[in-house]
Amino acid sequence: MSDLSLFFRQFLRRPSEIRAIAPTGNATAREMARAVTPEMASVAEIGAGTGTITRAILGRGLPPERLELYELNAAFCARLRERFPAVTVHNLPAQEMVNVGRGPFDAVVSGVPTLPMPDELQASIVGAALQMMKPGAPFVQITYGPVAPLSEAVRKRFGLSHMKSPRIWSNLPPARVYIFRQSRAWCQD
């Protein structure tokens, strides 16, 4: 079964879990992976889907044993394990990385559809990632919407600044990539 067929079937079965209509496109995946370098000791990808972004991350030269994936959908996890046998795949929500992750991560790359989520769910995902990341490490987030994929309240709560890519029109639907970083002056309570 192709990635598109698998993705579409899972979208129909679990529309509240899978918000996109197709896997991330190659151009968007490359943009998301741009923050990853081969020297990084540990990287996490959350919402890994069928592995388009995973392939782009590994294409940047990161050894597969340094990549950890978190994906809720069991069918996607099976595909990821088959396709990337040397990568650690967790069939868990992103928030669980604080319990099983091998951080501190040099980067977290997120395909999780955060834009439509309530602030508290966004905060639990981002908070878990930040807890596992090295200070100042990038949190890379895809969005299909016209605004930042993390609410202003969540960005303020964690002291996040961001940069964004131009819109990637070749993606279905068109996407944009945001790179969030926590200010060095920010500290947790």
Side-chain angles (χ1 to χ4, degrees), residues 67-71 76-78 80-81 84 87-91:
L67 181 59
E68 225 172 276
L69 307 179
Y70 293 83
E71 173 55 55
F76 289 171
C77 285
L80 293 164
R81 288 183 180 113
F84 308 106
V87 172
T88 301
V89 178
H90 301 284
N91 187 193

mmCIF file of all heavy atoms in Angstrom, residues 67-71 76-78 80-81 84 87-91:
data_model
loop_
_atom_site.group_PDB
_atom_site.id
_atom_site.type_symbol
_atom_site.label_atom_id
_atom_site.label_comp_id
_atom_site.label_asym_id
_atom_site.label_seq_id
_atom_site.Cartn_x
_atom_site.Cartn_y
_atom_site.Cartn_z
ATOM 1 N N LEU A 67 17.975 9.244 16.047
ATOM 2 C CA LEU A 67 16.640 9.784 15.799
ATOM 3 C C LEU A 67 15.599 8.970 16.544
ATOM 4 O O LEU A 67 15.615 7.746 16.517
ATOM 5 C CB LEU A 67 16.344 9.774 14.292
ATOM 6 C CG LEU A 67 15.002 10.329 13.845
ATOM 7 C CD1 LEU A 67 14.811 11.787 14.275
ATOM 8 C CD2 LEU A 67 14.881 10.212 12.327
ATOM 9 N N GLU A 68 14.690 9.681 17.206
ATOM 10 C CA GLU A 68 13.600 9.073 17.950
ATOM 11 C C GLU A 68 12.287 9.604 17.403
ATOM 12 O O GLU A 68 12.125 10.815 17.271
ATOM 13 C CB GLU A 68 13.734 9.512 19.421
ATOM 14 C CG GLU A 68 13.542 8.414 20.396
ATOM 15 C CD GLU A 68 13.870 8.862 21.806
ATOM 16 O OE1 GLU A 68 15.057 8.832 22.181
ATOM 17 O OE2 GLU A 68 12.919 9.215 22.531
ATOM 18 N N LEU A 69 11.344 8.719 17.075
ATOM 19 C CA LEU A 69 10.060 9.118 16.518
ATOM 20 C C LEU A 69 8.939 8.846 17.512
ATOM 21 O O LEU A 69 8.946 7.818 18.193
ATOM 22 C CB LEU A 69 9.769 8.338 15.224
ATOM 23 C CG LEU A 69 10.836 8.348 14.135
ATOM 24 C CD1 LEU A 69 10.372 7.509 12.950
ATOM 25 C CD2 LEU A 69 11.178 9.758 13.713
ATOM 26 N N TYR A 70 7.976 9.770 17.551
ATOM 27 C CA TYR A 70 6.765 9.618 18.365
ATOM 28 C C TYR A 70 5.575 9.758 17.428
ATOM 29 O O TYR A 70 5.437 10.761 16.732
ATOM 30 C CB TYR A 70 6.700 10.690 19.467
ATOM 31 C CG TYR A 70 7.781 10.487 20.489
ATOM 32 C CD1 TYR A 70 9.070 10.964 20.277
ATOM 33 C CD2 TYR A 70 7.522 9.780 21.654
ATOM 34 C CE1 TYR A 70 10.084 10.745 21.195
ATOM 35 C CE2 TYR A 70 8.528 9.557 22.581
ATOM 36 C CZ TYR A 70 9.804 10.050 22.349
ATOM 37 O OH TYR A 70 10.796 9.814 23.262
ATOM 38 N N GLU A 71 4.720 8.742 17.419
ATOM 39 C CA GLU A 71 3.570 8.726 16.526
ATOM 40 C C GLU A 71 2.431 7.992 17.222
ATOM 41 O O GLU A 71 2.630 6.907 17.762
ATOM 42 C CB GLU A 71 3.945 8.031 15.210
ATOM 43 C CG GLU A 71 2.800 7.786 14.250
ATOM 44 C CD GLU A 71 2.033 9.041 13.894
ATOM 45 O OE1 GLU A 71 2.647 10.019 13.429
ATOM 46 O OE2 GLU A 71 0.799 9.052 14.100
ATOM 47 N N PHE A 76 0.779 3.808 11.159
ATOM 48 C CA PHE A 76 1.929 4.625 10.761
ATOM 49 C C PHE A 76 3.204 4.115 11.439
ATOM 50 O O PHE A 76 4.264 4.055 10.821
ATOM 51 C CB PHE A 76 1.717 6.091 11.102
ATOM 52 C CG PHE A 76 0.689 6.805 10.261
ATOM 53 C CD1 PHE A 76 0.275 8.082 10.609
ATOM 54 C CD2 PHE A 76 0.140 6.235 9.124
ATOM 55 C CE1 PHE A 76 -0.660 8.770 9.855
ATOM 56 C CE2 PHE A 76 -0.808 6.908 8.361
ATOM 57 C CZ PHE A 76 -1.206 8.177 8.722
ATOM 58 N N CYS A 77 3.097 3.731 12.709
ATOM 59 C CA CYS A 77 4.274 3.202 13.425
ATOM 60 C C CYS A 77 4.801 1.937 12.756
ATOM 61 O O CYS A 77 6.015 1.764 12.623
ATOM 62 C CB CYS A 77 3.938 2.925 14.892
ATOM 63 S SG CYS A 77 3.822 4.421 15.875
ATOM 64 N N ALA A 78 3.901 1.061 12.342
ATOM 65 C CA ALA A 78 4.328 -0.161 11.650
ATOM 66 C C ALA A 78 5.080 0.192 10.371
ATOM 67 O O ALA A 78 6.126 -0.390 10.071
ATOM 68 C CB ALA A 78 3.121 -1.048 11.346
ATOM 69 N N LEU A 80 6.676 3.012 9.739
ATOM 70 C CA LEU A 80 7.947 3.641 10.120
ATOM 71 C C LEU A 80 8.984 2.601 10.533
ATOM 72 O O LEU A 80 10.151 2.683 10.138
ATOM 73 C CB LEU A 80 7.719 4.647 11.254
ATOM 74 C CG LEU A 80 6.906 5.890 10.891
ATOM 75 C CD1 LEU A 80 6.429 6.603 12.151
ATOM 76 C CD2 LEU A 80 7.705 6.828 10.006
ATOM 77 N N ARG A 81 8.573 1.617 11.322
ATOM 78 C CA ARG A 81 9.504 0.572 11.770
ATOM 79 C C ARG A 81 10.016 -0.261 10.592
ATOM 80 O O ARG A 81 11.177 -0.649 10.554
ATOM 81 C CB ARG A 81 8.829 -0.323 12.807
ATOM 82 C CG ARG A 81 8.648 0.355 14.138
ATOM 83 C CD ARG A 81 8.036 -0.573 15.183
ATOM 84 N NE ARG A 81 7.875 0.123 16.425
ATOM 85 C CZ ARG A 81 6.691 0.433 16.970
ATOM 86 N NH1 ARG A 81 5.560 0.050 16.377
ATOM 87 N NH2 ARG A 81 6.628 1.099 18.103
ATOM 88 N N PHE A 84 12.337 2.301 8.470
ATOM 89 C CA PHE A 84 13.525 2.839 9.154
ATOM 90 C C PHE A 84 13.881 1.944 10.351
ATOM 91 O O PHE A 84 13.712 2.337 11.506
ATOM 92 C CB PHE A 84 13.256 4.274 9.638
ATOM 93 C CG PHE A 84 12.732 5.189 8.567
ATOM 94 C CD1 PHE A 84 11.397 5.578 8.560
ATOM 95 C CD2 PHE A 84 13.568 5.669 7.568
ATOM 96 C CE1 PHE A 84 10.908 6.433 7.580
ATOM 97 C CE2 PHE A 84 13.090 6.520 6.577
ATOM 98 C CZ PHE A 84 11.755 6.893 6.585
ATOM 99 N N VAL A 87 15.906 3.284 13.415
ATOM 100 C CA VAL A 87 15.350 4.437 14.134
ATOM 101 C C VAL A 87 14.440 3.930 15.247
ATOM 102 O O VAL A 87 13.686 2.970 15.059
ATOM 103 C CB VAL A 87 14.559 5.355 13.167
ATOM 104 C CG1 VAL A 87 13.822 6.452 13.909
ATOM 105 C CG2 VAL A 87 15.491 5.958 12.120
ATOM 106 N N THR A 88 14.491 4.560 16.414
ATOM 107 C CA THR A 88 13.602 4.201 17.519
ATOM 108 C C THR A 88 12.228 4.813 17.265
ATOM 109 O O THR A 88 12.117 6.029 17.082
ATOM 110 C CB THR A 88 14.157 4.723 18.861
ATOM 111 O OG1 THR A 88 15.451 4.153 19.062
ATOM 112 C CG2 THR A 88 13.240 4.358 20.010
ATOM 113 N N VAL A 89 11.193 3.982 17.240
ATOM 114 C CA VAL A 89 9.826 4.433 16.987
ATOM 115 C C VAL A 89 8.982 4.138 18.219
ATOM 116 O O VAL A 89 8.902 2.992 18.659
ATOM 117 C CB VAL A 89 9.216 3.723 15.751
ATOM 118 C CG1 VAL A 89 7.774 4.182 15.528
ATOM 119 C CG2 VAL A 89 10.065 3.960 14.511
ATOM 120 N N HIS A 90 8.357 5.176 18.757
ATOM 121 C CA HIS A 90 7.469 5.037 19.915
ATOM 122 C C HIS A 90 6.025 5.252 19.459
ATOM 123 O O HIS A 90 5.725 6.284 18.870
ATOM 124 C CB HIS A 90 7.787 6.082 20.996
ATOM 125 C CG HIS A 90 9.181 6.013 21.515
ATOM 126 N ND1 HIS A 90 9.613 5.055 22.393
ATOM 127 C CD2 HIS A 90 10.254 6.821 21.282
ATOM 128 C CE1 HIS A 90 10.874 5.264 22.692
ATOM 129 N NE2 HIS A 90 11.294 6.325 22.025
ATOM 130 N N ASN A 91 5.138 4.316 19.740
ATOM 131 C CA ASN A 91 3.720 4.475 19.471
ATOM 132 C C ASN A 91 3.098 5.156 20.693
ATOM 133 O O ASN A 91 2.361 4.556 21.468
ATOM 134 C CB ASN A 91 3.086 3.116 19.191
ATOM 135 C CG ASN A 91 1.645 3.181 18.741
ATOM 136 O OD1 ASN A 91 0.956 2.178 18.707
ATOM 137 N ND2 ASN A 91 1.151 4.351 18.363
#
